[in-house]
Amino acid sequence: LESAREDLDACLDHAPTDVEVRGLLVELDAKAGELEDAIARARALVQEDATRTATWTRLGELHEARAARRLAACQASIRRALVR
């Protein structure tokens, strides 16, 4: 994943507004588990152009994944507390 990130970052150096490359970085961040970075990138894309419906959908999915991750962490904490 790191090699892909370096390649995409190099592409952005030449075309910093390229929506396709920026969208690929959103996906790369998500696959790497870096949900906050993915959300920030997707949010920037929709703030620039609110008509990007696919990006809005992906942003919602990323928020859902972040919530699921947080919920799982909370449930694990509760289980540990109840076992004691």
Side-chain angles (χ1 to χ4, degrees):
L1 289 179
E2 199 54 40
S3 176
R5 184 182 311 280
E6 289 171 6
D7 291 344
L8 290 172
D9 284 337
C11 290
L12 279 184
D13 288 342
H14 297 289
T17 60
D18 188 308
V19 173
E20 186 174 344
V21 171
R22 293 167 66 204
L24 289 171
L25 281 166
V26 169
E27 294 309 314
L28 187 63
D29 286 340
K31 286 184 189 305
E34 298 170 8
L35 295 178
E36 295 303 324
D37 291 340
I39 288 169
R41 288 182 195 273
R43 186 176 291 131
L45 286 168
V46 296
Q47 285 175 343
E48 291 170 12
D49 183 355
T51 65
R52 291 185 175 125
T53 55
T55 307
W56 275 110
T57 301
R58 187 61 177 131
L59 183 58
E61 293 167 348
L62 293 167
H63 279 288
E64 183 178 16
R66 181 177 64 181
R69 180 185 286 176
R70 288 179 178 171
L71 178 59
C74 290
Q75 289 171 332
S77 292
I78 291 169
R79 274 190 229 100
R80 283 190 302 274
L82 292 175
V83 171
R84 292 182 187 180

Coordinates of all heavy atoms in Angstrom, one line a residue:
L1 N 0.8 -1.2 0.0 CA 0.0 0.0 0.0 C 0.9 1.3 0.0 O 0.5 2.3 -0.6 CB -0.9 0.0 1.2 CG -2.1 -1.0 1.3 CD1 -2.9 -0.8 2.6 CD2 -3.0 -0.8 0.1
E2 N 2.0 1.2 0.7 CA 2.9 2.4 0.8 C 3.4 2.8 -0.6 O 3.5 4.0 -0.9 CB 4.0 2.1 1.8 CG 4.6 3.4 2.2 CD 3.6 4.4 2.8 OE1 2.7 4.0 3.6 OE2 3.8 5.6 2.6
S3 N 3.7 1.8 -1.4 CA 4.2 2.1 -2.8 C 3.1 2.8 -3.6 O 3.4 3.7 -4.3 CB 4.7 0.8 -3.5 OG 5.0 1.0 -4.8
A4 N 1.9 2.3 -3.5 CA 0.8 2.9 -4.2 C 0.6 4.3 -3.7 O 0.3 5.2 -4.5 CB -0.5 2.0 -4.0
R5 N 0.7 4.5 -2.4 CA 0.5 5.9 -1.9 C 1.5 6.8 -2.5 O 1.2 7.9 -2.8 CB 0.5 5.9 -0.4 CG 0.3 7.2 0.3 CD 0.4 7.2 1.8 NE -0.4 6.1 2.4 CZ -1.7 6.1 2.6 NH1 -2.4 7.2 2.2 NH2 -2.3 5.1 3.2
E6 N 2.8 6.3 -2.5 CA 3.9 7.2 -3.1 C 3.6 7.5 -4.5 O 3.8 8.7 -4.9 CB 5.2 6.5 -2.9 CG 5.7 6.4 -1.5 CD 6.9 5.5 -1.3 OE1 7.4 5.0 -2.3 OE2 7.3 5.2 -0.2
D7 N 3.1 6.5 -5.3 CA 2.8 6.8 -6.7 C 1.7 7.8 -6.8 O 1.8 8.7 -7.7 CB 2.4 5.5 -7.4 CG 3.6 4.5 -7.5 OD1 4.8 5.0 -7.4 OD2 3.3 3.3 -7.8
L8 N 0.6 7.7 -6.0 CA -0.5 8.6 -6.1 C -0.1 10.0 -5.7 O -0.5 11.0 -6.2 CB -1.7 8.1 -5.3 CG -2.4 6.8 -5.9 CD1 -3.4 6.3 -5.0 CD2 -3.0 7.2 -7.3
D9 N 0.7 10.0 -4.6 CA 1.2 11.4 -4.2 C 2.0 12.0 -5.3 O 1.9 13.2 -5.5 CB 2.0 11.2 -2.9 CG 1.2 11.0 -1.7 OD1 0.0 11.4 -1.7 OD2 1.7 10.5 -0.7
A10 N 2.8 11.2 -6.0 CA 3.6 11.8 -7.1 C 2.7 12.3 -8.2 O 2.9 13.4 -8.8 CB 4.5 10.7 -7.7
C11 N 1.6 11.6 -8.5 CA 0.6 12.1 -9.4 C 0.0 13.4 -9.0 O -0.2 14.3 -9.8 CB -0.5 11.1 -9.6 SG 0.0 9.6 -10.5
L12 N -0.3 13.5 -7.7 CA -0.9 14.8 -7.2 C 0.1 15.9 -7.3 O -0.3 17.1 -7.4 CB -1.3 14.6 -5.7 CG -2.7 13.9 -5.5 CD1 -3.0 13.9 -4.0 CD2 -3.8 14.6 -6.2
D13 N 1.4 15.6 -7.2 CA 2.4 16.7 -7.3 C 2.2 17.4 -8.7 O 2.5 18.6 -8.8 CB 3.8 16.2 -7.2 CG 4.1 15.8 -5.7 OD1 3.4 16.3 -4.8 OD2 5.1 15.0 -5.5
H14 N 1.9 16.6 -9.7 CA 1.7 17.1 -11.1 C 0.3 17.6 -11.4 O 0.2 18.5 -12.2 CB 2.1 16.0 -12.1 CG 3.5 15.6 -12.0 ND1 4.6 16.4 -12.3 CD2 4.1 14.4 -11.5 CE1 5.7 15.8 -12.1 NE2 5.5 14.6 -11.6
A15 N -0.6 17.1 -10.7 CA -2.0 17.5 -10.9 C -2.8 17.5 -9.6 O -3.6 16.6 -9.3 CB -2.7 16.5 -11.9
P16 N -2.6 18.5 -8.8 CA -3.1 18.5 -7.4 C -4.6 18.5 -7.3 O -5.2 18.2 -6.3 CB -2.5 19.7 -6.8 CG -2.0 20.6 -7.9 CD -1.8 19.7 -9.0
T17 N -5.3 18.9 -8.4 CA -6.8 18.9 -8.4 C -7.4 17.7 -9.0 O -8.6 17.7 -9.2 CB -7.3 20.2 -9.0 OG1 -6.8 20.2 -10.4 CG2 -6.8 21.4 -8.3
D18 N -6.6 16.7 -9.4 CA -7.1 15.5 -10.1 C -8.1 14.8 -9.2 O -7.7 14.1 -8.2 CB -6.0 14.6 -10.6 CG -6.5 13.5 -11.5 OD1 -7.4 12.8 -11.1 OD2 -5.9 13.4 -12.5
V19 N -9.4 14.8 -9.5 CA -10.4 14.2 -8.6 C -10.2 12.7 -8.6 O -10.4 12.0 -7.6 CB -11.8 14.6 -9.1 CG1 -12.9 13.8 -8.4 CG2 -12.0 16.1 -9.0
E20 N -9.9 12.1 -9.7 CA -9.7 10.6 -9.8 C -8.6 10.1 -8.8 O -8.8 9.2 -8.1 CB -9.5 10.1 -11.2 CG -9.5 8.6 -11.3 CD -9.4 8.1 -12.7 OE1 -9.6 8.9 -13.7 OE2 -9.1 6.9 -12.9
V21 N -7.5 10.8 -8.9 CA -6.3 10.4 -8.0 C -6.7 10.7 -6.6 O -6.4 9.8 -5.7 CB -5.1 11.2 -8.4 CG1 -4.0 11.0 -7.4 CG2 -4.6 10.8 -9.8
R22 N -7.4 11.8 -6.3 CA -7.7 12.1 -4.9 C -8.7 11.0 -4.4 O -8.7 10.6 -3.2 CB -8.3 13.5 -4.8 CG -7.2 14.5 -5.1 CD -7.7 15.9 -5.3 NE -8.3 16.4 -4.1 CZ -9.2 17.4 -4.1 NH1 -9.6 17.9 -5.2 NH2 -9.7 17.8 -2.9
G23 N -9.6 10.6 -5.3 CA -10.6 9.5 -4.9 C -9.9 8.2 -4.6 O -10.2 7.5 -3.7
L24 N -8.8 7.9 -5.4 CA -8.1 6.7 -5.2 C -7.4 6.8 -3.8 O -7.2 5.7 -3.1 CB -7.1 6.5 -6.3 CG -7.7 6.1 -7.7 CD1 -6.6 6.1 -8.7 CD2 -8.3 4.7 -7.6
L25 N -6.9 7.9 -3.5 CA -6.3 8.1 -2.1 C -7.3 7.9 -1.0 O -6.9 7.3 0.0 CB -5.6 9.5 -2.0 CG -4.3 9.6 -2.7 CD1 -3.8 11.0 -2.9 CD2 -3.2 8.8 -2.0
V26 N -8.5 8.3 -1.2 CA -9.6 8.0 -0.2 C -9.7 6.5 0.0 O -9.7 6.0 1.1 CB -10.9 8.6 -0.7 CG1 -12.1 8.1 0.2 CG2 -10.9 10.1 -0.7
E27 N -9.7 5.8 -1.2 CA -9.9 4.3 -1.1 C -8.6 3.7 -0.4 O -8.7 2.7 0.4 CB -10.1 3.7 -2.5 CG -11.5 4.1 -3.0 CD -12.6 3.9 -2.1 OE1 -12.7 2.8 -1.5 OE2 -13.5 4.8 -1.9
L28 N -7.5 4.2 -0.8 CA -6.2 3.6 -0.2 C -6.2 3.9 1.3 O -5.8 2.9 2.0 CB -5.0 4.3 -0.9 CG -3.7 3.7 -0.5 CD1 -3.6 2.3 -1.0 CD2 -2.6 4.6 -1.2
D29 N -6.6 5.1 1.7 CA -6.6 5.3 3.2 C -7.6 4.4 3.9 O -7.3 3.8 4.9 CB -7.0 6.8 3.4 CG -5.9 7.8 3.1 OD1 -4.8 7.4 3.1 OD2 -6.3 9.0 3.0
A30 N -8.8 4.2 3.2 CA -9.8 3.3 3.8 C -9.3 1.9 3.9 O -9.4 1.2 5.0 CB -11.1 3.4 3.0
K31 N -8.6 1.4 2.9 CA -8.1 0.0 2.9 C -7.0 -0.2 3.9 O -6.8 -1.2 4.5 CB -7.6 -0.4 1.5 CG -8.6 -0.7 0.5 CD -8.1 -1.1 -0.8 CE -9.1 -1.2 -1.9 NZ -10.2 -2.0 -1.6
A32 N -6.2 0.9 4.2 CA -5.2 0.9 5.2 C -5.7 1.1 6.6 O -4.9 1.0 7.6 CB -4.1 2.0 4.9
G33 N -7.0 1.3 6.7 CA -7.6 1.5 8.0 C -7.5 2.9 8.6 O -7.8 3.1 9.7
E34 N -7.1 3.8 7.7 CA -6.9 5.2 8.1 C -8.2 5.9 7.8 O -8.2 6.8 6.9 CB -5.7 5.8 7.4 CG -4.4 5.0 7.8 CD -3.2 5.5 6.9 OE1 -3.3 6.4 6.1 OE2 -2.1 4.8 7.1
L35 N -9.2 5.6 8.6 CA -10.5 6.2 8.3 C -10.6 7.7 8.4 O -11.3 8.3 7.7 CB -11.6 5.5 9.2 CG -11.8 4.0 8.9 CD1 -12.8 3.4 9.9 CD2 -12.2 3.7 7.5
E36 N -9.9 8.2 9.4 CA -9.9 9.7 9.6 C -9.4 10.4 8.4 O -9.9 11.4 7.9 CB -9.2 10.1 10.9 CG -9.8 9.6 12.2 CD -11.3 10.0 12.3 OE1 -11.6 11.1 12.0 OE2 -12.1 9.2 12.9
D37 N -8.3 9.9 7.9 CA -7.7 10.5 6.7 C -8.6 10.3 5.5 O -8.8 11.2 4.7 CB -6.3 9.8 6.4 CG -5.2 10.2 7.4 OD1 -5.4 11.2 8.1 OD2 -4.2 9.4 7.4
A38 N -9.2 9.1 5.3 CA -10.1 8.9 4.2 C -11.3 9.8 4.3 O -11.7 10.4 3.3 CB -10.6 7.4 4.2
I39 N -11.8 10.0 5.5 CA -13.0 10.9 5.7 C -12.6 12.3 5.4 O -13.3 13.0 4.7 CB -13.5 10.8 7.1 CG1 -14.3 9.4 7.3 CG2 -14.5 11.9 7.5 CD1 -14.6 9.1 8.7
A40 N -11.4 12.8 5.8 CA -11.0 14.1 5.5 C -10.8 14.4 4.0 O -11.3 15.4 3.5 CB -9.7 14.4 6.2
R41 N -10.3 13.4 3.3 CA -10.1 13.5 1.9 C -11.4 13.6 1.2 O -11.7 14.4 0.3 CB -9.3 12.4 1.3 CG -7.8 12.4 1.7 CD -7.1 11.3 1.0 NE -5.7 11.0 1.5 CZ -4.6 11.6 1.1 NH1 -4.7 12.5 0.1 NH2 -3.5 11.3 1.6
A42 N -12.3 12.7 1.5 CA -13.7 12.6 0.9 C -14.4 13.9 1.2 O -15.1 14.4 0.3 CB -14.4 11.4 1.4
R43 N -14.3 14.4 2.4 CA -15.0 15.6 2.8 C -14.5 16.8 2.0 O -15.3 17.6 1.5 CB -14.8 15.9 4.3 CG -15.7 17.1 4.8 CD -15.5 17.3 6.2 NE -16.2 16.2 7.0 CZ -15.6 15.6 8.0 NH1 -14.4 15.8 8.4 NH2 -16.3 14.6 8.6
A44 N -13.2 16.8 1.7 CA -12.7 17.9 0.9 C -13.2 17.8 -0.5 O -13.5 18.9 -1.1 CB -11.1 17.8 0.9
L45 N -13.4 16.6 -1.0 CA -13.9 16.5 -2.4 C -15.3 17.0 -2.5 O -15.7 17.7 -3.4 CB -13.8 15.0 -2.8 CG -12.4 14.5 -3.2 CD1 -12.4 13.0 -3.4 CD2 -11.9 15.2 -4.5
V46 N -16.2 16.6 -1.5 CA -17.6 17.1 -1.6 C -17.7 18.6 -1.3 O -18.7 19.2 -1.7 CB -18.5 16.2 -0.7 CG1 -18.5 14.8 -1.3 CG2 -18.2 16.3 0.7
Q47 N -16.8 19.1 -0.5 CA -16.9 20.5 -0.2 C -16.5 21.3 -1.5 O -17.1 22.4 -1.7 CB -15.9 20.9 0.9 CG -16.5 20.5 2.3 CD -15.5 20.8 3.4 OE1 -14.3 21.0 3.2 NE2 -16.0 20.7 4.6
E48 N -15.7 20.8 -2.3 CA -15.3 21.5 -3.5 C -16.4 21.4 -4.6 O -16.6 22.3 -5.4 CB -14.1 20.9 -4.1 CG -12.8 21.2 -3.3 CD -11.6 20.3 -3.8 OE1 -11.7 19.7 -4.8 OE2 -10.6 20.3 -3.0
D49 N -17.2 20.3 -4.6 CA -18.2 20.1 -5.5 C -19.3 19.2 -4.9 O -19.1 17.9 -4.8 CB -17.7 19.4 -6.8 CG -18.8 19.2 -7.9 OD1 -20.0 19.5 -7.6 OD2 -18.4 18.8 -9.0
A50 N -20.4 19.8 -4.4 CA -21.4 19.0 -3.7 C -22.2 18.1 -4.6 O -23.0 17.4 -4.1 CB -22.3 20.0 -3.0
T51 N -22.0 18.1 -5.9 CA -22.7 17.3 -6.8 C -22.1 15.9 -7.0 O -22.6 15.1 -7.7 CB -22.9 17.9 -8.2 OG1 -21.6 18.0 -8.8 CG2 -23.6 19.3 -8.1
R52 N -21.0 15.7 -6.3 CA -20.3 14.4 -6.4 C -21.0 13.3 -5.5 O -20.7 13.0 -4.4 CB -18.9 14.5 -5.9 CG -18.0 15.3 -6.8 CD -16.6 15.3 -6.4 NE -15.8 16.0 -7.3 CZ -15.0 17.1 -7.1 NH1 -14.9 17.5 -5.8 NH2 -14.3 17.7 -8.0
T53 N -22.1 12.8 -6.1 CA -23.0 11.9 -5.3 C -22.2 10.6 -4.9 O -22.5 10.1 -3.8 CB -24.2 11.5 -6.1 OG1 -23.8 11.0 -7.4 CG2 -25.1 12.7 -6.3
A54 N -21.4 10.1 -5.8 CA -20.6 8.9 -5.4 C -19.7 9.1 -4.2 O -19.6 8.3 -3.3 CB -19.8 8.3 -6.6
T55 N -19.1 10.3 -4.2 CA -18.3 10.7 -3.0 C -19.1 10.9 -1.8 O -18.6 10.5 -0.7 CB -17.4 11.9 -3.4 OG1 -16.7 11.7 -4.6 CG2 -16.4 12.2 -2.3
W56 N -20.3 11.4 -1.9 CA -21.1 11.6 -0.7 C -21.5 10.2 -0.2 O -21.5 10.0 1.1 CB -22.4 12.3 -1.1 CG -22.4 13.8 -1.0 CD1 -22.4 14.6 -2.1 CD2 -22.2 14.6 0.1 NE1 -22.3 15.9 -1.7 CE2 -22.2 16.0 -0.3 CE3 -22.1 14.4 1.5 CZ2 -22.1 17.0 0.5 CZ3 -22.0 15.4 2.4 CH2 -22.0 16.8 1.9
T57 N -21.8 9.3 -1.1 CA -22.1 7.9 -0.6 C -20.9 7.3 0.1 O -21.1 6.7 1.1 CB -22.5 7.1 -1.9 OG1 -23.7 7.7 -2.5 CG2 -22.8 5.6 -1.5
R58 N -19.7 7.4 -0.5 CA -18.5 6.8 0.1 C -18.2 7.5 1.4 O -17.8 6.8 2.4 CB -17.3 7.0 -0.9 CG -16.1 6.3 -0.4 CD -16.4 4.8 -0.3 NE -15.1 4.1 0.1 CZ -15.1 3.2 1.1 NH1 -16.2 2.9 1.7 NH2 -14.0 2.6 1.4
L59 N -18.5 8.8 1.5 CA -18.3 9.5 2.8 C -19.2 8.9 3.9 O -18.8 8.6 5.0 CB -18.5 11.0 2.6 CG -18.3 11.9 3.9 CD1 -16.8 11.8 4.4 CD2 -18.6 13.3 3.5
G60 N -20.4 8.6 3.5 CA -21.4 8.0 4.5 C -20.9 6.6 4.9 O -21.0 6.2 6.1
E61 N -20.4 5.8 3.9 CA -19.8 4.5 4.2 C -18.6 4.6 5.2 O -18.5 3.8 6.1 CB -19.5 3.8 3.0 CG -20.6 3.4 2.1 CD -20.2 3.0 0.7 OE1 -19.0 3.2 0.3 OE2 -21.1 2.5 -0.1
L62 N -17.8 5.6 5.0 CA -16.6 5.8 5.8 C -17.0 6.1 7.2 O -16.5 5.6 8.2 CB -15.7 6.8 5.2 CG -15.0 6.4 3.9 CD1 -14.4 7.6 3.3 CD2 -14.0 5.3 4.2
H63 N -18.0 7.0 7.4 CA -18.6 7.4 8.7 C -19.2 6.1 9.4 O -19.0 5.9 10.6 CB -19.6 8.5 8.6 CG -19.0 9.8 8.5 ND1 -18.4 10.5 9.5 CD2 -19.0 10.7 7.4 CE1 -18.0 11.7 9.1 NE2 -18.3 11.8 7.9
E64 N -19.9 5.3 8.6 CA -20.4 4.1 9.2 C -19.3 3.1 9.7 O -19.4 2.6 10.7 CB -21.3 3.4 8.1 CG -22.0 2.2 8.6 CD -22.9 1.5 7.6 OE1 -22.7 1.8 6.4 OE2 -23.7 0.7 8.0
A65 N -18.3 3.0 8.9 CA -17.1 2.1 9.3 C -16.5 2.7 10.5 O -16.1 1.9 11.4 CB -16.1 2.0 8.1
R66 N -16.3 4.0 10.6 CA -15.7 4.6 11.8 C -16.6 4.3 13.0 O -16.1 4.0 14.1 CB -15.5 6.1 11.6 CG -14.8 6.7 12.8 CD -14.5 8.2 12.6 NE -15.8 8.9 12.4 CZ -15.8 10.2 12.2 NH1 -14.7 10.9 12.1 NH2 -16.9 10.8 12.0
A67 N -17.9 4.5 12.9 CA -18.8 4.2 14.0 C -18.8 2.8 14.4 O -18.8 2.5 15.6 CB -20.2 4.7 13.6
A68 N -18.7 1.9 13.4 CA -18.7 0.4 13.8 C -17.4 0.1 14.5 O -17.4 -0.6 15.5 CB -18.7 -0.4 12.5
R69 N -16.3 0.7 14.1 CA -15.0 0.5 14.8 C -15.1 1.0 16.3 O -14.7 0.4 17.2 CB -13.9 1.2 14.1 CG -12.5 1.1 14.7 CD -11.5 1.9 14.1 NE -11.1 1.3 12.8 CZ -10.3 1.9 11.9 NH1 -9.7 3.0 12.2 NH2 -9.9 1.3 10.8
R70 N -15.7 2.2 16.4 CA -15.8 2.8 17.8 C -16.8 2.0 18.6 O -16.5 1.7 19.8 CB -16.3 4.2 17.7 CG -15.2 5.2 17.2 CD -15.7 6.6 17.1 NE -14.6 7.5 16.7 CZ -14.8 8.7 16.3 NH1 -16.0 9.3 16.4 NH2 -13.8 9.5 15.9
L71 N -17.8 1.5 18.0 CA -18.8 0.7 18.8 C -18.1 -0.6 19.2 O -18.3 -1.0 20.4 CB -20.0 0.4 17.9 CG -21.1 -0.5 18.5 CD1 -21.6 0.1 19.8 CD2 -22.2 -0.8 17.5
A72 N -17.4 -1.2 18.4 CA -16.7 -2.5 18.7 C -15.7 -2.3 19.9 O -15.6 -3.1 20.8 CB -15.9 -3.1 17.5
A73 N -15.0 -1.1 19.9 CA -14.1 -0.8 21.0 C -14.8 -0.6 22.3 O -14.4 -1.1 23.3 CB -13.3 0.4 20.6
C74 N -16.0 0.1 22.2 CA -16.8 0.3 23.4 C -17.3 -1.0 23.9 O -17.3 -1.3 25.2 CB -17.9 1.2 23.1 SG -17.4 2.9 22.8
Q75 N -17.8 -1.9 23.0 CA -18.3 -3.2 23.5 C -17.2 -4.0 24.1 O -17.5 -4.7 25.1 CB -18.9 -3.9 22.3 CG -20.2 -3.3 21.8 CD -20.7 -3.9 20.5 OE1 -20.0 -4.4 19.7 NE2 -22.1 -3.9 20.3
A76 N -16.0 -4.0 23.6 CA -14.9 -4.7 24.2 C -14.6 -4.2 25.6 O -14.4 -5.0 26.5 CB -13.7 -4.6 23.3
S77 N -14.7 -2.9 25.7 CA -14.4 -2.3 27.1 C -15.5 -2.7 28.1 O -15.2 -3.0 29.2 CB -14.4 -0.8 27.0 OG -13.3 -0.3 26.2
I78 N -16.7 -2.8 27.6 CA -17.8 -3.2 28.5 C -17.6 -4.7 28.9 O -17.8 -5.0 30.1 CB -19.2 -3.0 27.8 CG1 -19.4 -1.4 27.7 CG2 -20.3 -3.7 28.6 CD1 -20.6 -1.1 26.9
R79 N -17.3 -5.5 27.9 CA -17.1 -6.9 28.2 C -16.0 -7.1 29.2 O -16.1 -7.9 30.2 CB -16.7 -7.7 27.0 CG -17.9 -8.1 26.2 CD -17.6 -9.1 25.1 NE -18.3 -8.6 23.9 CZ -17.7 -7.9 22.9 NH1 -16.4 -7.6 22.9 NH2 -18.4 -7.5 21.9
R80 N -14.9 -6.3 29.1 CA -13.7 -6.4 30.0 C -14.2 -6.0 31.4 O -13.8 -6.6 32.4 CB -12.5 -5.6 29.6 CG -11.8 -6.3 28.4 CD -10.4 -5.5 28.2 NE -10.6 -4.1 27.9 CZ -10.8 -3.6 26.6 NH1 -10.9 -4.5 25.6 NH2 -10.9 -2.4 26.4
A81 N -15.0 -4.9 31.5 CA -15.4 -4.4 32.8 C -16.4 -5.4 33.5 O -16.3 -5.5 34.7 CB -16.1 -3.1 32.6
L82 N -17.2 -6.1 32.7 CA -18.1 -7.0 33.3 C -17.5 -8.3 33.7 O -18.0 -9.0 34.6 CB -19.2 -7.4 32.2 CG -20.2 -6.2 31.9 CD1 -21.2 -6.6 30.8 CD2 -20.9 -5.7 33.2
V83 N -16.4 -8.7 33.1 CA -15.7 -9.9 33.5 C -15.0 -9.7 34.8 O -14.8 -10.7 35.6 CB -14.7 -10.3 32.4 CG1 -13.7 -11.4 32.8 CG2 -15.4 -10.7 31.1
R84 N -14.5 -8.6 35.1 CA -13.8 -8.3 36.4 C -14.6 -8.6 37.5 O -15.2 -9.0 38.2 CB -13.3 -6.9 36.5 CG -12.3 -6.6 35.5 CD -11.9 -5.1 35.6 NE -11.0 -4.8 34.5 CZ -10.4 -3.7 34.3 NH1 -10.6 -2.7 35.1 NH2 -9.7 -3.5 33.3

